[in-house]
């Protein structure tokens, strides 16, 4: 009997009385207590009829119990599907039906309003208790799983606007965890300052898995709060964040060597870190941020070195077990090409989408990231743009097509373009330009309100502009660059 992630990340910690989670209120949870939560939740999941391979979704606030759900799903062999709490009922309903979720976990206060959503999708609904230790379900046996079996699924939007479920196997996640622990020198004496969400690959897999592999603790915060980060940083040695975390820390006049002196490593990813943020951070703290690059579909692909030059504006070298190449065929200019990767980290495809999966790979089996890059003479990879039309705001992805489709369906709208402009806090800010249908004058405030009811807040345009027509090139493609210049 084997269960790769359970055997490597959870089982070795189960009986340990050492601290796993330091919480914001000063309390702690040992590895052993965490294993108890996971065991009880596993019992609840099995009692609801979930079988190995079934999908178990969770739309819950970040908490130790929410993290224990991941461990519980691994134990029973279910495919864990964490969902952003910002998703609306409409979005949630789509995910539940798309991959035929068996069981959805929600927070107690959402039980009433989510029961209809779960029902409509044929999913069961379970409340995640604040303290799962009170559950009295027997702890089920560990399910047998092979390295190729799915451990998790994360939805990522596409240029089509329709979110796709990226299927991640035990081997995908474990190989990446092992590589990251090695290249970042994660050790049992480390403490990770964890303020990322745990519905995304960054906070859930990159951050949590590497600490589990080393049996090391995390300071586990419900969300990013600059004041709390400043207070707790002296007790940590490693921090992982999106670029917004770093700009927000720098916006705190009190932040400097006093807080960062004890830290060993600051890591950034999920969106481009501006070279000027890198430099300002070093000037303030003496630390050079280590930037790395990955995607939901692949987990991490490249990283700047722990020892050796961390080059601002670059994402470093391919991980030891990842092969990376540039496809110059994209014709974006001298030395620029689409970044393509191969390795044990690359996902098993999109749920139920054979054709989309095939399109995501080249004929010779390389995954097409859709990111444009260069590789310099020393081997450093730099991301210079995206082939795909994507906005990253506060580290979260917004695919313009999804929002444009909704706006275009509104009365009086001819067409729309949604694009990102630079924002000092969020990296990018979402903007919409709307062209009216002939003879119409759509009310943008009304449209904005209707969109607000349908998609998560981070996807909603923060500014709306009425334009006569969208600018287009000779090929008829909307010129988002021109819109950005105009409205940025
Ligand atoms: P996600 O699937 O949410 O992890 O988003 C993946 C995308 O985020 C990638 O395809 C890149 O466009 C972008 N990304 C991630 N890390 C970086 C980075 N360090 N620099 C620039 N872009 C990044």
């Amino acid at each position: 009997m084997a269960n790769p992630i359970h055997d490597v990340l959870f089982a070795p910690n189960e009986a340990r009385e050492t601290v796993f989670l330091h919480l914001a209120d000063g309390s702690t949870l040992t590895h052993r207590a965490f294993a108890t939560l996971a065991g009880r939740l596993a019992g609840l999941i099995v009692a609801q009829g979930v079988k190995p391979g079934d999908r178990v979704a969770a739309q819950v606030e970040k908490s130790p119990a929410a993290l224990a759900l991941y461990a519980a799903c691994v134990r029973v062999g279910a495919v864990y599907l964490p969902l952003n709490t910002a998703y609306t009922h409409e979005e949630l309903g789509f995910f539940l039906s798309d991959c035929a979720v068996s069981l959805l976990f929600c927070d107690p206060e959402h039980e009433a309003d989510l029961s209809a959503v779960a029902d409509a999708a044929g999913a069961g609904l379970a409340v995640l208790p604040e303290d799962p230790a009170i559950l009295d379900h027997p702890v089920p046996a560990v399910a047998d799983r092979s390295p190729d079996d799915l451990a998790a699924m994360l939805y990522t939007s596409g240029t089509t606007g329709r979110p796709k479920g990226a299927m991640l196997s035990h081997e995908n996640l474990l190989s990446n965890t092992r590589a990251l622990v090695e290249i970042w020198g994660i050790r049992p004496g480390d403490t990770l300052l964890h303020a990322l969400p745990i519905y995304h690959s960054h906070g859930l897999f990159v951050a949590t898995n590497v600490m589990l592999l080393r049996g090391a603790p995390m300071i586990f915060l419900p969300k990013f709060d600059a004041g709390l980060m400043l207070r707790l940083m002296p007790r940590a040695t490693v921090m992982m964040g999106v670029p917004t975390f770093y700009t927000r820390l720098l916006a705190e006049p009190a932040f400097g060597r006093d807080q960062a002196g004890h830290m060993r490593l600051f890591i950034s990813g999920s969106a481009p870190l501006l070279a000027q943020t890198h430099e300002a951070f070093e000037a303030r703290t003496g630390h050079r941020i280590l930037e790395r690059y990955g995607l939901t579909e692949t987990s991490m692909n490249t990283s700047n070195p722990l020892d050796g030059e961390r080059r601002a504006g670059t994402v470093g070298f391919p991980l030891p077990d990842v092969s990376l190449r540039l496809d110059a065929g994209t014709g974006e200019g001298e030395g620029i090409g689409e970044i393509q990767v191969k390795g044990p980290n690359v996902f098993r495809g999109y749920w139920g989408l054979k054709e989309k999966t095939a399109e995501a790979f080249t004929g010779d089996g390389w995954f097409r990231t859709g990111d444009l890059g260069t590789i310099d003479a020393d081997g450093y990879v730099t991301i210079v743009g995206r082939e795909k039309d994507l906005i990253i705001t506060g580290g979260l992805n917004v695919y313009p097509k999804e929002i444009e489709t909704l706006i275009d369906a509104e009365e009086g709208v001819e067409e729309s373009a949604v694009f990102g402009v630079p924002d000092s806090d969020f990296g990018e800010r979402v903007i919409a330009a709307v062209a009216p249908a002939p003879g119409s004058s759509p009310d943008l405030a009304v449209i904005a309100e209707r969109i607000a009811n349908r998609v998560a807040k981070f996807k909603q345009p923060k500014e709306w502009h009425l334009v006569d027509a969208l600018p287009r090139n000779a090929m008829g493609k909307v010129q988002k660059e021109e819109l950005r210049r105009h409205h940025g």
Side-chain angles (χ1 to χ4, degrees), residues 185-471:
I186 303 294
R187 44 184 99 133
D190 274 327
T191 299
L192 178 80
L193 187 53
H194 193 302
L196 291 160
I198 54 170
Y199 52 74
H200 187 274
S201 163
H202 193 170
L204 183 61
F205 300 134
V206 180
T208 306
N209 284 353
V210 299
M211 300 318 274
L212 282 167
L213 184 57
R214 278 285 176 258
M218 308 195 274
I219 300 173
F220 198 64
L221 306 177
K223 61 177 177 28
F224 181 89
D225 172 313
L228 209 51
M229 298 293 275
L230 261 55
R231 188 156 68 71
L232 297 173
M233 195 176 285
R235 291 168 42 193
T237 62
V238 180
M239 181 184 129
M240 296 184 196
V242 294
T244 304
F245 284 15
Y246 292 100
T247 52
R248 288 196 176 173
L249 285 173
L250 286 170
E252 296 291 316
F255 176 65
R257 288 170 198 253
D258 282 353
Q259 291 83 18
H262 176 251
M263 291 286 288
R264 182 172 76 77
L265 185 58
F266 288 94
I267 301 173
S268 176
S270 288
L273 181 78
L274 295 178
Q276 72 229 43
T277 308
H278 193 280
E279 281 144 24
F281 199 84
E282 184 177 15
R284 188 85 75 84
T285 65
H287 284 279
R288 287 179 75 78
I289 298 172
L290 184 154
E291 184 171 6
R292 93 299 177 279
Y293 154 69
L295 288 84
T296 298
E297 290 92 331
T298 59
S299 298
M300 299 307 98
N301 292 313
T302 73
S303 172
N304 268 279
L306 181 65
D307 303 310
E309 191 194 346
R310 298 178 197 164
R311 231 173 248 186
T314 80
V315 293
F317 311 116
L319 264 49
D321 56 356
V322 174
S323 307
L324 183 149
R325 73 180 187 189
L326 298 182
D327 174 20
T330 45
E332 296 286 337
E334 187 66 20
I336 298 177
E338 182 191 31
I339 297 174
Q340 301 180 342
V341 294
K342 212 177 211 180
N345 57 319
V346 177
F347 77 142
R348 321 296 304 170
Y350 298 112
W351 180 273
L353 296 171
K354 273 216 163 63
E355 242 172 68
K356 292 269 178 264
T357 302
E359 282 166 18
F361 288 86
T362 63
D364 53 349
W366 293 70
F367 175 66
R368 311 186 52 199
T369 65
D371 291 308
L372 298 172
T374 58
I375 303 179
D376 72 12
D378 301 324
Y380 284 84
V381 176
T382 298
I383 295 171
V384 297
R386 298 176 206 128
E387 205 174 26
K388 58 197 178 196
D389 190 15
L390 167 70
I391 302 168
I392 306 184
T393 179
L396 295 172
N397 292 358
V398 180
Y399 285 84
K401 191 79 194 162
E402 179 183 4
I403 313 303
E404 288 163 0
T405 307
L406 295 177
I407 299 173
D408 293 352
E410 292 292 326
E411 214 176 294
V413 173
E414 176 75 15
E415 57 174 357
S416 63
V418 169
F419 53 98
V421 298
D423 182 278
S424 58
D425 195 14
F426 287 98
E428 285 182 286
R429 185 166 74 246
V430 183
I431 312 266
V434 180
S440 303
S441 44
D443 185 338
L444 295 186
V446 171
I447 295 177
E449 203 180 306
R450 286 168 51 88
I451 300 289
N453 290 326
R454 304 192 61 187
V455 298
K457 188 144 191 238
F458 68 88
K459 299 181 191 172
Q460 295 165 18
K462 304 293 173 286
E463 281 172 37
W464 293 76
H465 299 280
L466 202 59
V467 297
D468 294 339
L470 296 180

Side-chain angles (χ1 to χ4, degrees), residues 52-123:
D54 287 353
R55 274 73 56 213
V56 172
Q59 190 183 39
V60 293
E61 293 298 335
K62 183 179 176 184
S63 71
L67 192 63
L69 264 183
Y70 162 44
C73 286
V74 168
R75 185 179 187 95
V76 306
V79 181
Y80 183 50
L81 166 52
L83 294 165
N84 191 334
T85 46
Y87 285 133
T88 62
H89 290 180
E90 183 172 329
E91 290 168 307
L92 186 61
F94 169 79
F95 298 127
L96 297 182
S97 321
D98 186 58
C99 66
V101 165
S102 301
L103 184 63
L104 167 69
F105 276 90
C106 68
D107 287 320
E109 64 273 27
H110 296 302
E111 186 181 11
D113 47 304
L114 287 185
S115 72
V117 180
D119 265 1

Side-chain angles (χ1 to χ4, degrees), residues 5-34:
I5 294 183
H6 179 81
D7 297 347
V8 175
L9 299 186
F10 296 115
N13 291 314
E14 260 173 10
R16 299 177 59 221
E17 292 291 0
T18 43
V19 172
F20 175 38
L21 302 178
H22 294 271
L23 304 176
D25 65 4
S27 65
T28 57
L29 200 74
T30 63
H31 280 99
R32 187 191 168 103
F34 179 78

